[in-house]
Structures are given as C-alpha cells and as structure tokens.
Amino acid sequence: MNRVPDSELVFVPGGTLITPDANAGRALAFTLARHAVHNIQPDLDVLVAGRPTYSTSPDSLIAATQVVATEFATIAAANNYWR
Amino acid sequence: MNRVPDSELVFVPGGTLITPDANAGRALAFTLARHAVHNIQPDLDVLVAGRPTYSTSPDSLIAATQVVATEFATIAAANNYWR
Amino acid sequence: MNRVPDSELVFVPGGTLITPDANAGRALAFTLARHAVHNIQPDLDVLVAGRPTYSTSPDSLIAATQVVATEFATIAAANNYWR
Amino acid sequence: MNRVPDSELVFVPGGTLITPDANAGRALAFTLARHAVHNIQPDLDVLVAGRPTYSTSPDSLIAATQVVATEFATIAAANNYWR
Amino acid sequence: MNRVPDSELVFVPGGTLITPDANAGRALAFTLARHAVHNIQPDLDVLVAGRPTYSTSPDSLIAATQVVATEFATIAAANNYWR
Amino acid sequence: MNRVPDSELVFVPGGTLITPDANAGRALAFTLARHAVHNIQPDLDVLVAGRPTYSTSPDSLIAATQVVATEFATIAAANNYWR
C-alpha cells in the first residue's frame, strides 16, 4: 500500500483546538476532516483515485463542507468564538 | 486550471465571526460555505460546470441549505444571537 | 430570468432571531430555510419546476425538515427557549 | 386538494417547548417533525401515497429518526433535560 | 399487523435521560434511536424484512450511527458528561 | 456468525468521555463510531465484506467522517475543549 505520510494521520495536529484566530480555526477544521478521512482510508492511491469523483460532484462537495462546518462548530466553541 | 480568485479562498473573510447584525451573520454563513467549497475545489471551470446540476436539483439545494444552517448556528452563537 | 421577489431574498426577515413565542420562532425557521434556497437559486421557474419532485418525495421532505430542525435549534437558543 | 386537518399544521402544538417530562418532550419532537412535513406538503393524498415508500425503506426511516433526534436536542435543552 | 411489543414503543424507557455512567448513556442513545424507528414503523414484519438491507449496507450503517451520535450528544449534555 | 470480539462492542471503552488531551479525545470519537457500527452489525464477515465498498467510496468516507465529527463535538465539550 502507498500509505499517506504519517503527518496526515495525526488526529489533531498541534495537539490543541486552540488557535490564534478564526482563520486558523477554520484551517484546523479542514485538517481535522481530511485527517479523519486518511485515518479511515490511509491508502494514498485509493484517495487519489477518488478525488476526480468527489471533487467534481456538487453533492459530494456539499457533503464535505457539511463535515467542515461541524468540525468548525467545535473549534469555534473551544476558542470562545475568538471574541 | 482556471482558478477561483484568491478572495474566494479566504476561510473567514474579515477574520472574525462577529457581525453587526443577524443579516450580516447570515451572509457570512453563506460565504463560509461557499469558500469551503472553493477550497476543496478551486477550479472555476469545474464549479461552473456543476452549477446547472446542483442548482436545479431540489435535493442538492436542500443539502446546501443544511450546510448554511450549520454554519449559521456557529456564527449566531458567536454573536450571542445579536440579542 | 423570472426572479423571486426581493422580499424572498432577505436573509433574516425583520433582522432579528428574537420572536414573541415558539410558534413565531418555528415560522422563522421555515422562512430562513426557504430564503436560503432562494438565495442559492433565485430563478422562480426553476424553483416551481422542482416543487413536484421534492414535495412528493418522502426522502426530500425528510431532508427539508432536517434543515428546519437545525435552523429552529438556533432560533430557540436565541430566545432562551421562550421559557 | 385533500388538505391535512388544520391541527396538523400548527407549528408548535401548545405553543411551548416546555413539557412535564422526557417522554412528553420526545412526543413533542415527533410532532414537530411531522407538522414540519405537513407544512411543506399539506396534501394528505400525497402524504398517504408516500407512506408505503418511506415506511418500508430502512434508509428513509433512519433519516426520519435523525430529524427527531435533532428536534429532541432542542426540546431537551429547553427543559434543562428534565433534571 | 405483527406489532412490535409495547415496550419497544416507549419513547424514553425509564422516563429520564439521566444515567449512572457513560456506558448506560450510550445504551440509552441506541434505545432512543431504535424506539424512534419503531414508533414510525411498528410493523415487526416490515422491520425484520428491512434488516438484511440496512445491516449489510455500509452507508445505512453509517447513517444509523449518525443518529446514535446525535442522541448521545443530548444524553451526554443532560448528564453533564458524567464528569 | 463470526462475531466481532467483545472488546469491540463496549459502548464507551474506559467508561468515560474524559481524555488527557485532544488527540486522545479524537481517538475516542473514532472508537465510539466504530463500536456503534459493531453493535448494530456484530458479524465480522459482513463488516469485512463491506469494507471495500465504503472505504473506496468518497461519499461513504465523507459520511463516516461526519459521524466522527459529531461524536468529537460531544467529547470535546465533555473535556471543556482541553483548554
């Protein structure tokens, strides 16, 4: 298997949900979602093969952003919404 | 690739979840959702090609509004619901 | 394009999430969801054409009520649940 | 149109999210979900026609219980979880 | 109709969301989800007929666990997370 | 039936949602989700048979990460976000 790099399998890079600002929090939401996929499917060839399918399907893109929105809700709460 | 403008890739435009009122908060929810799609799929041609599909499919439209509702929940909490 | 009326595009009609009671809050949840669809797809002809599809499909109806439930959660919290 | 009774269209029967106990709260969650469907599709004949489809489809049943779970989360919070 | 036993139709068995520990809370989440299905479809023969379909479909299993996760979120909050 | 090991059926391994850090909390989210599947479908042969299907389908992977995100939200709240 052509395994994704170990760095892509870290659950929470940096080990914390606390970020300096909302943009960094949003970036972390994307990272959490991506690493979650990688932990379920660590075979890079399978991931690359699936990319043309989901990245050109509006419904898949919408579903992916739903995951990001859910992760972001947690991160934003963790940071008291960077108020 | 015909890449979406850089401004469309900013995670949180303005860098904050705080908005003056509920309407602005709702607008931000749409923006967060749209920029999330753009970050996953930054190829404008692919996005434009997908538009006729999802924008005329009731199920896709419903799924898109689910994302907006989720983003809005976070933004509304961040703003103490503009009470 | 046969555009939906401007009033249907207002993100948060009345500009506030605060409502006098739970029934009004629930009505607002429906409005937020409907206006969200209209902002993504403002062409009335397309919307009218899609109505027979989703309004007779149980799965589409269930998905639509999921959106309403999510919007309502936010509105109910905003109003301290009208306790 | 064979319209559902008016009582089925009331958004929040009783006008409150407060219930005496968890069972009544759960019943209200089902009612909110059902009335939401009725408000989007008030034609009883269409609803009755769809029943054999969704009520025998495991995926539809799961999706319907997802809506109930979401409504219940709001109602439970409104009642401080009946602690 | 071969109806499920009455005990399977109780919305909240025990009448409370409060449980002694996280394991019991998780068990209650499964029960709430299962009883929700039974209240929508109380015909045991239909339920049994659907079991081979959803229990061997990864997507159905994932959707079912999404419902459990949502119910569990409510129950965990009700119990102050058994801290 | 080739049943999954008993350890895979424990609802909340360790019996608590409290974890030392965010990485451990994220690992628990994956475990809760996986054990939820196992409790609904404890036949290892069925699970193994479904793996090639869902683990190579982008939409299934996205749906699985949605469940993880939802479980993680609960666990993160339980731990006060490891602030």
Side-chain angles (χ1 to χ4, degrees), chain E residues 1-77:
Chain E
M1 177 170 58
N2 184 12
R3 195 174 175 86
V4 298
D6 282 354
S7 60
E8 283 295 303
L9 296 169
V10 176
F11 283 131
V12 183
T16 178
L17 300 182
I18 308 306
T19 66
D21 55 38
N23 263 305
R26 193 78 179 167
L28 180 57
F30 278 82
T31 301
L32 289 188
R34 195 176 68 242
H35 287 209
V37 171
H38 294 174
N39 271 282
I40 302 174
Q41 177 49 273
D43 187 330
L44 192 57
D45 292 338
V46 173
L47 293 168
V48 169
R51 167 99 193 151
T53 304
Y54 86 83
S55 74
T56 59
S57 156
D59 287 345
S60 300
L61 287 169
I62 293 168
T65 58
Q66 182 71 50
V67 177
V68 170
T70 307
E71 301 285 14
F72 184 61
T74 302
I75 295 166

